Amino acid sequence: DKDAQIVIYGHGAARPIEISPSLLAAWGGKINGFNIARWVHSLSANQKKMMAVMENVTKLVRTNKFLMDTVLYKVGEDAITDSFSRAADPADSTQVVLIFPTLQEELHTSTEEQRKEKERQIQAQEEEAKRRKEEEERDKLKTEWLNLLFTEQSVAAMSPEGPLPVTYEGGDLQTPTNLLVFVGDNPKAENPMLKDLPASIGNSGVLSVSWSQHPAGEAYLEFNLKAPEVVDGSWYLRDRAGFENQDLDLLHDVELLGRSLVETLESRLAEYALDWKNVVIVGFGKGAGIALYASLMKLFPKQIGSMILFSPIVLFPSYLSEKVQSIAKTAPPVTQALKIFAVWGNRNRSTPGTYRQLLAQTLRKVPQVHCTPDTLPEADHSFDMKSVAILQQLITLCMR
């Protein structure tokens, strides 16, 4: 029919229309395109017609007389980006419906979120308060422990663990005028070198005691002097605020070992009828540190004569200085000066320069202590024959 027309509405899958050219040539009709949006806005009457159609469709849908393939997306819960992607897909004929929450639901959600946020804040505050309380309790216990160390009320004083074992005896042990006491770290390697000393010390006795073979020395023996925090000096620089549990245990062990050293010497001095001023302590490494703590903390009943310390490992000089000042307030005044000779190996990485300076400053603050430092060239952390040669020279100065 020449007056017929074809109306193209929508684009579907956007595929091209296949019409034979010969059919169009023989046909006298028209091909028209129709866009509903343009049609609705072209006349106000069309808008009324469109609204009427939509109302009728809505009624049919509500009465289940007209069914549409739909998918629902709830705003605030579902992924809205998926809904827009699905609506823009020309190959998907499913109707996308967005469901917006009501005002009541919005208010309920907001109130619930505020409640949960308030609960989270309260829980965080409670946890922080609990953490602070636990930290304060730990700090209180740590302070009490540190204050009790090296006093008559300490655990070490109340529960001693016996004297240090004597691993070597030499010199004049019948009627000695002085007693040279060696406190090293490795008796097996160090004692053979002490056998040459009696010739240079006259009628003095020589004892070597071993803290490393004592039950209280087990943890300290395992402490690694090559650890990074030791080599860089940061371990020595710790103060009471930065002490860890292991540090507290080491200080306790040093006190135990110092008291055990005193117990060993008391019986020998009584046996030889000597006084504490006749004692010269020679120490190396950790053993030297134990002996120095015992002396400065007044664990010896009286002031000893002098000390010769090779590369002493002294735990936490800042704490030592603090305890020395505290003890000085109640201890009787010292009338006899303590001579200390400190010999350092210039290649000893276990005693860095920052630590040596801090220890020197600490010793300068101690009343009646005269410390003379010396350096052993090309020496590392070991007690060897070069150390013995220096020791023989220093002994003569200590026994004058």
Side-chain angles (χ1 to χ4, degrees), residues 251-270:
L251 284 168
H252 168 68
D253 292 343
V254 167
E255 182 185 357
L256 266 176
L257 295 168
R259 293 185 181 277
S260 296
L261 172 62
V262 174
E263 189 174 347
T264 300
L265 297 184
E266 280 180 330
S267 61
R268 293 307 176 109
L269 291 177

Side-chain angles (χ1 to χ4, degrees), residues 321-395:
S321 177
E322 172 190 324
K323 292 294 290 186
V324 166
Q325 294 176 19
S326 175
I327 292 173
K329 296 177 181 179
T330 57
V334 179
T335 58
Q336 177 185 350
L338 174 64
K339 292 185 293 184
I340 298 178
F341 296 90
V343 183
W344 306 97
N346 67 343
R347 299 181 62 181
N348 188 351
R349 301 182 67 233
S350 298
T351 56
T354 52
Y355 155 66
R356 299 181 193 180
Q357 293 175 5
L358 180 59
L359 182 59
Q361 293 173 2
T362 299
L363 294 178
R364 280 197 293 268
K365 297 177 183 178
V366 182
Q368 295 296 317
V369 169
H370 300 158
C371 181
T372 304
D374 197 2
T375 301
L376 197 58
E378 303 299 320
D380 54 11
H381 192 73
S382 62
F383 185 81
D384 52 20
M385 293 309 299
K386 291 187 293 185
S387 305
V388 173
I390 295 292
L391 175 60
Q392 290 175 332
Q393 298 175 18
L394 294 176
I395 287 176

